[in-house]
Amino acid sequence: QVQLVESGGGLVQAGGSLTLSCATSENIVSINAANWYRQAPGKQRELVASLDSDDRTYYPDSVKGRFTISRDNAKNTVYLQMNSLNLEDTAVYYCNALMMDRLGLLDSYWGQGTRVTVSP
């Protein structure tokens, strides 16, 4: 069974930093592309970072220059480095990845989410 497990969320003061991790289960061979989304209370889920198969990245203006998505192919892990956090970054953050398993099947998976709370 394929799993994505996020970690690294927590409580941080405004201006601080956090690094989120998204680890895959052992039956994953490769991560082709990955995204980080977030959902704040009462709001729709929004994309905050995207990484494609050529390692090109995309960030919306709301996080550009503050967030960085990256991956470690050896560990099949995706990261989201978040700097200069502000109150509007408070949300549950979700990892989404297009991954290939040992059977050669390519599919999109979601993690369970990790909560980030930014305090004044």
Side-chain angles (χ1 to χ4, degrees):
Q1 182 178 358
V2 177
Q3 287 184 314
L4 280 178
V5 180
E6 296 111 331
S7 61
L11 177 64
V12 62
Q13 281 191 323
S17 299
L18 279 177
T19 299
L20 306 183
S21 299
C22 177
T24 64
S25 50
E26 292 183 351
N27 57 334
I28 291 299
V29 174
S30 64
I31 298 175
N32 287 44
N35 305 293
W36 284 94
Y37 289 81
R38 69 184 180 189
Q39 187 165 20
K43 295 187 177 181
Q44 289 187 331
R45 189 172 295 189
E46 63 172 344
L47 177 70
V48 296
S50 183
L51 180 70
D52 71 10
S53 57
D54 293 321
D55 283 338
R56 291 172 298 193
T57 58
Y58 164 79
Y59 307 94
D61 289 342
S62 58
V63 306
K64 192 175 295 182
R66 301 188 299 121
F67 288 13
T68 303
I69 186 172
S70 62
R71 63 178 160 188
D72 184 330
N73 291 325
K75 296 181 179 179
N76 278 335
T77 300
V78 179
Y79 303 96
L80 183 68
Q81 173 69 42
M82 305 185 295
N83 299 324
S84 301
L85 287 163
N86 57 54
L87 300 181
E88 289 69 37
D89 296 319
T90 294
V92 177
Y93 284 72
Y94 298 90
C95 177
N96 163 245
L98 183 66
M99 306 187 296
M100 181 174 291
D101 65 18
R102 296 187 184 280
L103 298 177
L105 299 176
L106 194 65
D107 207 346
S108 178
Y109 299 89
W110 287 86
Q112 82 289 350
T114 185
R115 185 175 300 275
V116 173
T117 303
V118 183
S119 65

